[in-house]
Amino acid sequence: MRYAETGYNLEIDLSRGSIERVETDPLLTELHLGGQGTAAKIIWDRVPPETEPFSPDNLIIFSSGLLNCTPVPGANRCIVNTISPQTNLFVNSMLGGYFGTEMKYAGYDRIIIRGKSPNLVYLWINNDKVEIRDASHLQGKGAMETQGILQAELDASAQVAAIGLAGENRVYGASIEHASSAAARMAGVVMGDKRLKAIAIRGTKDINVAHPTELWGLCEPKYKSIADDPENGDPMRLDPSNDAWHMENFAWGNARERRRGYFTKDVYKNDVTTTDKARLRWVGCYNCPKMCKQMLELEDGRKFFTKCFNRLIYMMAAYVEDFSFSYEMLARTTEYGMDGFATPQLLAFAVELYEAGVLTNEDLPDFPADNAERFFYLLDITVRREGFVGDALADGVYWAARKIGRGAEKYDHNTTKKVEQVPLKLGKVNFPYYLMYATGEKMSITQIEGSYPQAPEPDLEKRKKLVEGWEAAPERFKKWFLEWEPRVDPSIEESVNITDWNEMMHYVDDSIGTCAWLSSFRGQFGCRPAYHMYNLPEFISYASGLELDTDKLWKIATRNRTLVRAINNRRGLRRIDEAPPVDHWKIREPEKEQAYLDGYYAFKGWTNEGIPTKETLDKLGLDYVSEDFIQRGILTSDGGEIREG
């Protein structure tokens, strides 16, 4: 009997129209746990570097986290992985809500999709009954509209993940929308390329756990403690006063300037009034006591959900000082299915090109003078790929700058590895964050940071109090934080360890399905996350029957992180690509940055080009990777150095 998982994948080939229910190897669970970890292994095995992102042979994999459908509170994430056309690299994205758990209740740990349908289709999965159905009646429909149509046609309790017009038109920033959640970061474009409009699932099966009594003994008090603890859950959605830090520290426009003193009492009042007027209700994800999300309704009846931070970012990108503008943008982009982090920067980039004279009225006929109307205009032409500019913008800032030319490249100053980043414009370089931006495989800093505080605490007594109850941290981290003074850089040793720890927690979450607001991301706020490396092994062991301790869990996370790195190395990723946006920080220290990068590579057991050595790979049980690298000339067989030429 399999515990905490179904033991089956659903394999769909849209080119052939075939559907298979495939039993899985339990060894993969021991090595990778599930979620993104196992998906990375599948992509390594089945999507070689010669496979183009828009090839029928590229896969898009929906994975239910290992702990989903168990009593573990806050375990509900569905991880979506593929190869991106924007970067030609591995994509990490995820859905909260109920989709990932419904997958498992239907009997599937993963849905693996290859091929391309000749016509627009959707999947209807009702336990063992799986069908590829015609979706011509859904063509051009919004993502949320599609969900409503399918629930009315199929089953009101079905969980639906759908793309909007952006995905249908292969816009690189297309998202996959599900209820109050979205899988962004370039996932929707591949789903659209495969001509798959939606997946609708209904599941009513049971999930077995290895030690139900012991697991329930852990989960019942944990549910209550999460509910009662203000240090868990997403504070940015619950308290508008948290908006002040973002509005005054994040950059406005095309990631260009900060606006000190902007968040006044009047702004706060406008924020609260506008949101309270629009709010229908608070909602949460499967088996979580926190209501972190809001359903809002506009005056014309359109409904949508707010997602992390993008409630602010449209008004900041457009210099429109009205929250109602952001809500209008969110309603439109949710239906279109557009990435809430990348899209505002993309639109602001286009406005900046126009104001600089790079784009003209000939390029943008009837371009409005009003900033809000400009954003609506640009959004529409991008989603529809209309004209030269719309078609260029649909490929993201990096590629748009190069397609447009005329000096547009110099306005591409907020991308890393061809992906738009959260808009920052800070002072002196922060070295742990430099490493996270430079070396991260997940394309968003919010998918990497989180277990260690962002800045030192000036008050020594507060530092001591924080460290006294910091159960999540290794002892040496507590010492480092106690000794960390303002305006003092963490050492190379400290920085590489902080970066590694942040990464490992996210790679655990993305394998077992736990919400980052209860673990990997929440740790930097108050340092009291519900889950961490020292208590998760017990939850995982009781649920799955695997024998785990902290060291074993850390090794699995390291294996998963290294495998994702190897996928990207095999697709060409090298040291030259490892750089944060040039003006994230006003003061940069290039030589010191490279020294920290050297230290990180050495700590990880990678070559000077950022490639895991044969020794590192073999120790992690990734000897098949080292063999492949040697055959391809990426590594030599006698020490791991890159071949010359």
Side-chain angles (χ1 to χ4, degrees):
M1 181 181 292
R2 300 286 280 273
Y3 297 114
E5 59 180 351
T6 70
Y8 290 92
N9 291 340
L10 183 61
E11 297 262 5
I12 307 289
D13 189 320
L14 295 173
S15 295
R16 296 189 300 155
S18 64
I19 299 167
E20 293 182 83
R21 183 171 180 261
V22 179
E23 189 170 3
T24 60
D25 184 351
L27 178 60
L28 290 179
T29 308
E30 294 179 30
L31 293 173
H32 301 284
L33 294 181
Q36 179 185 250
T38 310
K41 179 63 166 68
I42 294 168
I43 286 178
W44 171 272
D45 288 342
R46 294 168 55 180
V47 187
E50 299 79 19
T51 301
E52 297 291 334
F54 285 149
S55 164
D57 293 328
N58 188 17
L59 303 178
I60 184 168
I61 304 175
F62 294 76
S63 302
S64 189
L66 179 64
L67 296 185
N68 290 3
C69 302
T70 73
V72 178
N76 49 53
R77 273 11 189 196
C78 173
I79 296 82
V80 185
N81 299 113
T82 185
I83 300 297
S84 162
Q86 188 166 346
T87 64
N88 197 37
L89 301 176
F90 184 88
V91 169
N92 172 81
S93 191
M94 66 197 72
L95 290 165
Y98 294 78
F99 189 82
T101 50
E102 200 74 13
M103 275 178 55
K104 195 175 281 189
Y105 282 133
Y108 311 103
D109 298 313
R110 277 162 292 280
I111 303 171
I112 303 171
I113 300 163
R114 73 167 305 278
K116 290 188 186 187
S117 171
N119 303 302
L120 195 67
V121 296
Y122 73 91
L123 296 180
W124 170 224
I125 303 167
N126 187 1
N127 291 321
D128 295 337
K129 184 179 180 181
V130 183
E131 299 174 83
I132 302 172
R133 291 188 169 189
D134 174 69
S136 57
H137 65 303
L138 302 173
Q139 188 160 357
K141 301 292 187 184
M144 300 301 290
E145 182 183 11
T146 296
Q147 293 180 49
I149 291 171
L150 290 180
Q151 287 173 329
E153 289 180 359
L154 304 170
D155 186 323
S157 297
Q159 300 301 323
V160 181
I163 58 172
L165 190 58
E168 288 184 40
N169 288 333
R170 301 202 312 183
V171 175
Y172 287 7
S175 58
I176 302 168
E177 300 286 333
H178 158 64
S180 59
S181 301
R185 301 282 86 175
M186 305 164 292
V189 59
V190 176
M191 189 164 164
D193 179 63
K194 294 186 177 299
R195 306 295 291 151
L196 179 62
K197 179 67 175 180
I199 304 173
I201 302 180
R202 183 71 179 109
T204 58
K205 298 183 179 182
D206 292 328
I207 301 298
N208 297 304
V209 296
H211 304 285
T213 302
E214 293 83 352
L215 183 60
W216 185 254
L218 290 178
C219 294
E220 186 178 25
K222 181 61 71 176
Y223 191 95
K224 185 177 187 306
S225 69
I226 290 172
D228 295 341
D229 186 358
E231 301 293 348
N232 281 279
D234 181 354
M236 291 187 286
R237 294 174 184 164
L238 302 174
D239 182 2
S241 65
N242 284 294
D243 294 347
W245 189 90
H246 293 93
M247 287 188 158
E248 298 199 4
N249 287 281
F250 279 38
W252 291 57
N254 185 17
R256 281 302 190 187
E257 65 172 316
R258 289 190 288 177
R259 301 179 70 182
R260 295 298 196 188
Y262 168 77
F263 197 82
T264 62
K265 290 182 179 179
D266 287 341
V267 172
Y268 176 83
K269 184 177 180 181
N270 174 254
D271 183 350
V272 173
T273 302
T274 304
T275 306
D276 286 351
K277 182 180 178 181
R279 185 187 304 113
L280 289 177
R281 64 179 183 272
W282 292 97
V283 297
C285 297
Y286 175 90
N287 193 25
C288 181
K290 293 294 186 181
M291 297 291 183
C292 294
K293 304 176 182 181
Q294 304 176 67
M295 173 178 269
L296 304 184
E297 183 178 25
L298 301 183
E299 290 183 356
D300 62 6
R302 284 175 295 160
K303 300 179 180 66
F304 62 96
F305 293 91
T306 57
K307 305 182 182 74
C308 181
F309 183 63
N310 67 7
R311 189 174 68 87
L312 303 174
I313 198 169
Y314 283 103
M315 59 182 290
M316 293 172 65
Y319 284 97
V320 176
E321 299 174 2
D322 186 347
F323 284 89
S324 62
F325 164 74
S326 268
Y327 291 156
E328 176 63 34
M329 285 298 297
L330 288 174
R332 295 187 187 204
T333 53
T334 297
E335 284 297 347
Y336 280 149
M338 287 289 283
D339 185 323
F341 281 91
T343 305
Q345 299 311 307
L346 175 70
L347 304 182
F349 161 76
V351 171
E352 190 168 24
L353 292 185
Y354 180 82
E355 292 178 341
V358 177
L359 294 177
T360 66
N361 289 327
E362 186 176 343
D363 299 308
L364 299 169
D366 302 317
F367 195 50
D370 177 75
N371 272 4
E373 292 300 323
R374 284 178 170 183
F375 263 52
F376 299 145
Y377 175 107
L378 290 166
L379 176 64
D380 287 344
I381 67 169
T382 299
V383 168
R384 292 177 169 82
R385 285 187 173 267
E386 286 182 356
F388 166 67
V389 175
D391 189 57
L393 292 176
D395 290 348
V397 169
Y398 177 89
W399 292 113
R402 284 141 186 87
K403 286 185 176 182
I404 292 168
R406 313 174 198 171
E409 293 92 336
K410 74 177 183 179
Y411 297 92
D412 167 24
H413 53 82
N414 195 43
T415 60
T416 297
K417 298 172 184 172
K418 304 182 178 69
V419 181
E420 299 84 1
Q421 298 300 320
V422 173
L424 285 176
K425 192 175 181 68
L426 302 177
K428 186 179 180 298
V429 62
N430 178 312
F431 284 101
Y433 274 74
Y434 165 79
L435 291 175
M436 285 186 277
Y437 272 109
T439 66
E441 313 294 334
K442 296 192 173 184
M443 306 308 171
S444 175
I445 194 65
T446 58
Q447 298 174 325
I448 305 168
E449 65 176 329
S451 292
Y452 199 84
Q454 295 185 28
E457 168 54 58
D459 188 307
L460 181 58
E461 292 306 311
K462 289 183 179 179
R463 254 183 271 171
K464 290 178 180 178
K465 185 176 180 181
L466 183 146
V467 165
E468 284 173 4
W470 198 5
E471 296 179 356
E475 288 302 317
R476 65 188 185 283
F477 284 60
K478 300 175 187 178
K479 177 178 181 294
W480 292 337
F481 188 73
L482 277 174
E483 296 172 351
W484 191 13
E485 298 290 344
R487 294 176 294 280
V488 174
D489 293 328
S491 67
I492 291 178
E493 179 190 7
E494 292 166 2
S495 295
V496 300
N497 277 275
I498 290 167
T499 301
D500 183 64
W501 184 36
N502 284 337
E503 291 175 338
M504 292 308 103
M505 274 306 309
H506 279 281
Y507 275 87
V508 170
D509 282 343
D510 292 347
S511 293
I512 63 178
T514 37
C515 170
W517 280 110
L518 302 179
S519 54
S520 54
F521 193 77
R522 197 64 184 90
Q524 66 186 314
F525 304 105
C527 301
R528 302 293 188 272
Y531 300 117
H532 47 76
M533 284 287 188
Y534 298 104
N535 66 7
L536 276 172
E538 195 170 24
F539 284 93
I540 298 170
S541 295
Y542 285 154
S544 67
L546 298 173
E547 294 184 6
L548 283 182
D549 57 20
T550 297
D551 291 340
K552 289 181 180 178
L553 182 58
W554 200 296
K555 185 174 182 178
I556 293 172
T558 303
R559 179 181 297 121
N560 291 344
R561 191 266 185 271
T562 306
L563 182 55
V564 172
R565 180 70 175 193
I567 291 171
N568 288 339
N569 286 147
R570 194 165 66 160
R571 302 189 79 86
L573 180 69
R574 297 294 185 270
R575 185 183 185 118
I576 195 173
D577 303 304
E578 310 262 54
V582 293
D583 61 356
H584 254 36
W585 299 285
K586 184 177 181 180
I587 301 172
R588 298 292 294 267
E589 301 180 62
E591 290 186 9
K592 197 170 180 180
E593 291 171 13
Q594 292 305 306
Y596 274 71
L597 191 57
D598 286 340
Y600 177 84
Y601 284 177
F603 174 83
K604 299 293 278 189
W606 298 354
T607 72
N608 192 52
E609 281 293 316
I611 300 168
T613 65
K614 183 179 186 302
E615 180 181 11
T616 297
L617 293 165
D618 292 353
K619 282 182 178 179
L620 291 170
L622 300 174
D623 50 294
Y624 57 88
V625 175
S626 62
E627 291 171 5
D628 181 271
F629 278 6
I630 290 167
Q631 289 176 3
R632 293 178 182 273
I634 296 172
L635 293 177
T636 64
S637 59
D638 59 353
E641 296 299 325
I642 302 171
R643 293 181 187 273
E644 295 296 328

